[in-house]
Amino acid sequence: MDHETSTGHVTRKTVLRAALAAGMAAPAVLMGVPALARTLTGGEEAPELTPTCDDGDDPTPAQMEGPYFKPNSPRRSSLLEGNTPGVRLTVSGYVFGLACRPISGVLLDFWQADTNGAYDNTGFRFRGHQFTGADGSFKLTTIVPGLYPGRTRHIHVKAQAPGRPVLTTQLYFPGEPRNNTDSLFDPRLLMTVRDAGGAREAAFDFVLNVPQNPGPTPTPTQTTQPPGGSWAVGTAYRAGDAVTYGGAAYVCLQAHTAQPGWQPPNVPSLWRAA
């Protein structure tokens, strides 16, 4: 989990994710923590978190494809068909490169078992692919997969950035008893999960082995102001600070250092109109 630095500013990934997730509830943004928390059973140790995407970090771990992958899945973000039995599940998140910058156009191909633990090997039920948006985001609507002998609960995925190799891996659910007996289980691939009125919501951010430039580094002494406003790149803002930009007034919601592209109208998770 990301924490604040000694200067009181949240870490780079927290601010970037907050900026991307403009629809995130304000309280979660203000706390500077992910909106979803891992659920642990009594006595279960907190797992190692999914790798955060800072310069030089390792990418999301790969795992075996398994025997049930099928190519040419339909392009769709919902795997539900009619009155599909099972507990509804939404999985959302972002795909980042090694410098913590989002990657658009990433192919994500998902496949999983149905609520009874069976794979459809003749058709394409619970199989589908999609592409990340301009902000690197994705969202999958499906059900909680069932269990079958020898495995814990999981979802398969292949992720491929444009022109890059394919990452094949699996996503896991926290608090599952079989996590302790499944030899393939990797705690770094745990999703964050919460209950949502009879359904479940999960989140996972992929970090692909895609080299990236880290982007412009803010300079604290920079004071360039946009026309008609006091907001300035490189300024370290605190929650509650007030600025103007483009003739409108804004109040800071979360401590951060201003960067190009993070002008108040562009990042509702960091600024609200006064």
Side-chain angles (χ1 to χ4, degrees), residues 42-239:
E44 182 178 350
E45 294 183 2
E48 181 182 354
L49 299 182
T50 303
T52 55
C53 48
D54 287 315
D55 299 348
D57 254 337
D58 293 330
T60 299
Q63 290 217 313
M64 66 179 294
E65 179 181 280
Y68 301 119
F69 173 70
K70 289 180 60 175
N72 304 317
S73 69
R75 181 175 178 177
R76 55 186 178 183
S77 59
S78 175
L79 305 185
L80 303 180
E81 299 177 356
N83 296 320
T84 305
V87 176
R88 296 296 186 264
L89 171 69
T90 300
V91 182
S92 60
Y94 296 89
V95 179
F96 295 102
L98 295 178
C100 200
R101 298 175 67 183
I103 308 175
S104 63
V106 174
L107 170 62
L108 295 171
D109 196 344
F110 296 95
W111 72 101
Q112 66 171 78
D114 63 17
T115 191
N116 297 315
Y119 287 85
D120 179 7
N121 296 316
T122 58
F124 288 93
R125 286 195 317 120
F126 296 109
R127 301 175 185 271
H129 73 270
Q130 60 180 279
F131 295 88
T132 57
D135 60 353
S137 65
F138 72 91
K139 183 176 182 179
L140 175 71
T141 303
T142 182
I143 64 166
V144 175
L147 295 167
Y148 59 91
R151 291 303 316 275
T152 189
R153 209 178 303 274
H154 63 281
I155 296 174
H156 294 269
V157 60
K158 287 181 179 286
Q160 183 177 25
R164 301 293 300 180
V166 176
L167 166 71
T168 300
T169 192
Q170 302 179 35
L171 304 181
Y172 295 100
F173 293 76
E176 289 289 330
R178 292 192 186 181
N179 288 350
N180 297 323
T181 58
D182 189 332
S183 61
L184 294 177
F185 171 72
D186 188 333
R188 295 172 296 175
L189 295 170
L190 278 167
M191 297 181 289
T192 58
V193 179
R194 71 177 178 187
D195 293 326
R200 304 190 81 183
E201 295 178 349
F204 189 88
D205 293 338
F206 294 91
V207 181
L208 299 185
N209 188 13
V210 176
Q212 296 174 314
N213 295 322
T217 300
T219 304
T221 57
Q222 186 174 351
T223 58
T224 303
Q225 296 183 0
S230 62
W231 180 89
V233 170
T235 303
Y237 291 108
R238 298 171 299 179

Side-chain angles (χ1 to χ4, degrees), residues 14-15 18-19 29 251-256 262 264 267-272:
T14 298
V15 176
V29 173
V251 176
C252 180
L253 296 177
Q254 178 169 279
H256 67 282
W262 289 10
V267 280
S269 294
L270 299 180
W271 298 96
R272 66 169 174 82

